Amino acid sequence: MMGPAHSLSGAAAWLGVGAATAAAGHPMPWPVLLAGGLICAGAALAPDLDHKAATISRAFGPVSRALCEIVDKLSYAVYKATKKQGDPRRSGGHRTLTHTWLWAVLIGGGTSVLAVTGGRWAVLAILFVHMVLAIEGLLWRATRGSSSDVLVWLLAGTSAWILAGILDKPDGGADWLFTAPGQEYLWLGLPIVLGALVHDIGDALTVSGCPILWPIPVGRKRWYPIGPPKAMRFRAGSWVELKVLMPAFMLLGGVGGAAALNFI
C-alpha cells in the first residue's frame, strides 16, 4: 500500500487496541490513546526504510535518504544469505527484512528499552521521529514538496514536547499498563510493533504479497510472500486502496477511538 493508507491503518489499529483494552478493564488515558495513535501511524511507514522512493526516505532529508540506502543494501544482503532454492532472484531489498514479524518485534523491543533507559530525551526523540512520520503520512497533501520539511519538523518537535509533558503528569499515562517503578514509557514499543505489523498486513493484500513469516520457511521458500488468494489482491495506489480501504480505516478508527474513550 501507499504511505497515507499505511498511516491511517496504523492509527486505526491503535485506536482499536484502545477500545479492546478499555473493554478488558485497562483503559488508556487519553494522552496514551493520542500519542500511541500518532506513533503507530508513523511506525506504519517505517518498514519502507528499504525503499528509496518511500515517504520515509523524504521525511528527514539527506539523513533518511542515506539510511534508506543502507537498509536497502542490508536487507538485500540478508535476503541473499538466507534465501532457499525456491526464492526468486532479486535486485534489491525492498519487502524483505523490514517487512517481517521479527523486525517488528526487534524494533519495538529496542524502542521500549531505549525509552526506559534513555530518560526524557530518548522519549522526546522517539516521539519526534514518529510525529514527523505521522504528519507526513496523515497530512500527505499538505506536506508535499521539500519546502514544507522545516514546518513539519517544527510541528513534530512542538507536538512531541507537549505530549511528553502531558504524559509525565500524574495520571498522564507514562506508566500505563506497566506500573512497576522504572517502567515508565515501556509501552512505547507496543504501537511501534503494531504499526510495523499492520504495514506488513497491508502489503500482504497487494499483488506482491509480503514475507511476514521470515525466517520461518514455507515449503521451498524462506521468503514466502504471504497474502490472500490472488483474486482478492489489489495494486498499490489503486481505487480499492483509495476509495474503499482508506475510508474504512477512518471509520474504524473513529469507532475505536469513541469506544476507547467510553463515548459508545
Side-chain angles (χ1 to χ4, degrees):
M1 290 197 295
M2 305 298 286
H6 280 310
S7 283
L8 281 173
S9 67
W14 184 256
L15 294 172
V17 169
T21 57
H26 297 283
M28 293 180 186
W30 72 264
V32 174
L33 188 68
L34 174 60
L38 291 171
I39 292 170
C40 200
L45 295 179
D48 277 342
L49 266 173
D50 60 5
H51 192 349
K52 301 173 186 177
T55 301
I56 191 171
S57 72
R58 304 186 298 271
F60 300 96
V63 174
S64 53
R65 286 194 290 272
L67 182 59
C68 283
E69 289 191 19
I70 293 170
V71 173
D72 178 37
K73 292 177 181 178
L74 172 64
S75 299
Y76 183 50
V78 172
Y79 179 84
K80 289 197 301 181
T82 62
K83 70 184 183 73
K84 294 184 69 176
Q85 187 176 5
D87 291 308
R89 291 185 177 181
R90 299 180 62 96
S91 58
H94 182 47
R95 285 203 188 182
T96 55
L97 178 62
T98 62
H99 288 67
T100 65
W101 69 270
L102 183 58
W103 176 273
V105 171
L106 290 175
I107 293 298
T111 301
S112 289
V113 171
L114 179 62
V116 170
T117 61
R120 179 174 175 80
W121 288 107
V123 171
L124 283 171
I126 294 166
L127 289 172
F128 171 73
V129 168
H130 289 90
M131 292 304 106
V132 169
L133 295 178
I135 293 168
E136 292 281 358
L138 297 174
L139 303 177
W140 74 96
R141 294 185 187 278
T143 59
R144 289 177 178 173
S146 59
S147 61
S148 65
D149 286 349
V150 174
L151 292 176
V152 170
W153 299 337
L154 287 173
L155 178 58
T158 303
S159 302
W161 188 272
I162 292 172
L163 279 173
I166 295 172
L167 290 165
D168 277 340
K169 292 180 178 179
D171 299 324
D175 61 349
W176 174 73
L177 201 59
F178 302 96
T179 57
Q183 292 185 350
E184 293 82 2
Y185 291 111
L186 187 61
W187 61 268
L188 278 181
L190 298 179
I192 292 174
V193 173
L194 180 62
L197 292 177
V198 167
H199 178 111
D200 296 345
I201 293 170
D203 278 354
L205 299 176
T206 64
V207 292
S208 299
C210 188
I212 302 173
L213 295 181
W214 182 89
I216 302 170
V218 178
R220 298 172 61 248
K221 295 183 179 181
R222 193 178 302 278
W223 297 89
Y224 186 85
I226 298 295
K230 290 186 177 181
M232 298 175 63
R233 302 187 189 189
F234 59 89
R235 293 191 177 276
S238 69
W239 67 270
V240 175
E241 180 177 336
L242 300 175
K243 303 296 184 182
V244 178
L245 291 181
M246 289 178 66
F249 294 150
M250 287 187 271
L251 176 61
L252 291 172
V255 172
L261 296 172
N262 291 320
F263 289 144
I264 57 174

